[in-house]
Amino acid sequence: MKHRWLAAFFAVALIAGCARAPEPGVNDPYESTNRAWFDSNLRLSSAITGAEQDPADPTPPRASPFRRALSNVGGNLGLPSSILNDLLQVRPARAAENTVRLVINTTVGLGGLFDPAGAMGFHGRRSDFGETLHRWGVGEGAYVVLPLFGPSTERDSAGLVVDMLIDPLRFVLPAPEYGYSSAVRLAGRMADAAEYSDLLDANVINTADPYAQARLLYLQNRRYHLGVEVEEEIIDPYADF
C-alpha cells in the first residue's frame, strides 16, 4: 500500500512540474502518434459495437436493457472514486450527493443494476483525479490519445494513473473481487460506447477529419465540464440523449 501512495505522489509531482496552463486552441505536439492510436482505438471500437443500423430505417435503436444494467453497475462501482475526488477538491455537497446515490443504488438498486437514486433526483456527478489536479491549479498540458482509453491530456493521463492507485475499492475488496469490479467498470464503459455508437458515427466518424473532430469535441466538453471558460461554442454529441 505504501508503494502505491508513493507512486501516486510521484505521478502528481511529475505532472505538476511539467504541465502548463491551458492555452486557447489545441496543443497537440504528438499528433502523428495520436492519430495512430486513434485509428487503432477506432478499429477496436467498431469490433466491439458490432452491427450497424439499417440506413433505410430512421428509427433510433432502442437501448438494450443488458447494456443499461451493465452501464449502471459500472457507474455505481466508480462512485467511491468520485466521492474521494470530491473530498480532495473540497466539494462536500458533491461528495454528499454521490454518497447518497451510492447507498441508494447499492441497496435499493440491487448493487447498481437499477438507478432509483436518479429517479429520486440524486443524479450525482462523475469526478476524477484529473479534475482534482485542475482544481489544484495544474494545467492540462498537451492533448494525447491513450490506447483503449481514447482522448485525454497529459494532466488527465496522470490523473488516470493516480485514480487507479488510490481507488477506495482497492483497499476494501480482496484482490480477486477488485479485479472483477475493475472488469465490470470497463465493461460498463464499453456498453456506453456501444449505446451511443450511431450518434458518434454521425458526429465524429462521418466527418472530413474524424481525428480532428474527436479532438475538438473532447477538449471542448472536458474544459466545459471543468468550468474552464472557452470562446468556442460547445458541441455535445450526446445532447439528443
Side-chain angles (χ1 to χ4, degrees), residues 47-143:
I48 292 174
T49 55
E52 299 180 355
Q53 183 183 5
D54 182 359
D57 181 9
T59 306
R62 296 183 62 184
S64 164
F66 175 75
R67 287 178 182 170
R68 179 49 47 201
L70 192 58
S71 176
N72 287 343
V73 174
N76 196 59
L77 289 171
L79 281 173
S81 182
S82 290
I83 294 168
L84 175 58
N85 279 293
D86 288 335
L87 294 174
L88 292 174
Q89 295 165 26
V90 195
R91 286 169 164 160
R94 289 186 183 178
E97 182 174 6
N98 278 329
T99 300
V100 171
R101 181 174 173 79
L102 174 64
V103 171
I104 293 176
N105 282 356
T106 301
T107 54
V108 182
L110 303 179
L113 280 173
F114 306 99
D115 184 18
M120 297 169 63
F122 298 103
H123 299 289
R125 183 180 183 278
R126 285 184 180 179
S127 186
D128 53 59
F129 202 79
E131 182 173 2
T132 300
L133 289 173
H134 166 73
R135 181 79 166 175
W136 292 350
V138 177
E140 69 180 18
Y143 175 76

Side-chain angles (χ1 to χ4, degrees), residues 74-222:
N76 196 59
L77 289 171
L79 281 173
S81 182
S82 290
I83 294 168
L84 175 58
N85 279 293
D86 288 335
L87 294 174
L88 292 174
Q89 295 165 26
V90 195
R91 286 169 164 160
R94 289 186 183 178
E97 182 174 6
N98 278 329
T99 300
V100 171
R101 181 174 173 79
L102 174 64
V103 171
I104 293 176
N105 282 356
T106 301
T107 54
V108 182
L110 303 179
L113 280 173
F114 306 99
D115 184 18
M120 297 169 63
F122 298 103
H123 299 289
R125 183 180 183 278
R126 285 184 180 179
S127 186
D128 53 59
F129 202 79
E131 182 173 2
T132 300
L133 289 173
H134 166 73
R135 181 79 166 175
W136 292 350
V138 177
E140 69 180 18
Y143 175 76
V144 295
V145 177
L146 302 176
L148 298 178
F149 291 95
S152 186
T153 62
E154 289 177 324
R155 178 187 59 205
D156 290 344
S157 298
L160 177 63
V161 174
V162 176
D163 274 327
M164 292 178 179
L165 293 172
I166 66 173
D167 183 1
L169 291 182
R170 180 186 291 273
F171 306 104
V172 174
L173 300 176
E177 284 76 7
Y178 178 72
Y180 301 150
S181 71
S182 298
V184 172
R185 289 172 65 179
L186 179 59
R189 293 294 182 90
M190 292 181 176
D192 287 337
E195 204 67 61
Y196 300 125
S197 61
D198 292 331
L199 191 59
L200 287 176
D201 283 347
N203 287 275
V204 175
I205 308 306
N206 299 327
T207 59
D209 188 347
Y211 169 80
Q213 181 72 354
R215 180 182 61 191
L216 173 66
L217 290 175
Y218 173 79
L219 290 175
Q220 284 187 337
N221 284 281
R222 181 58 172 171

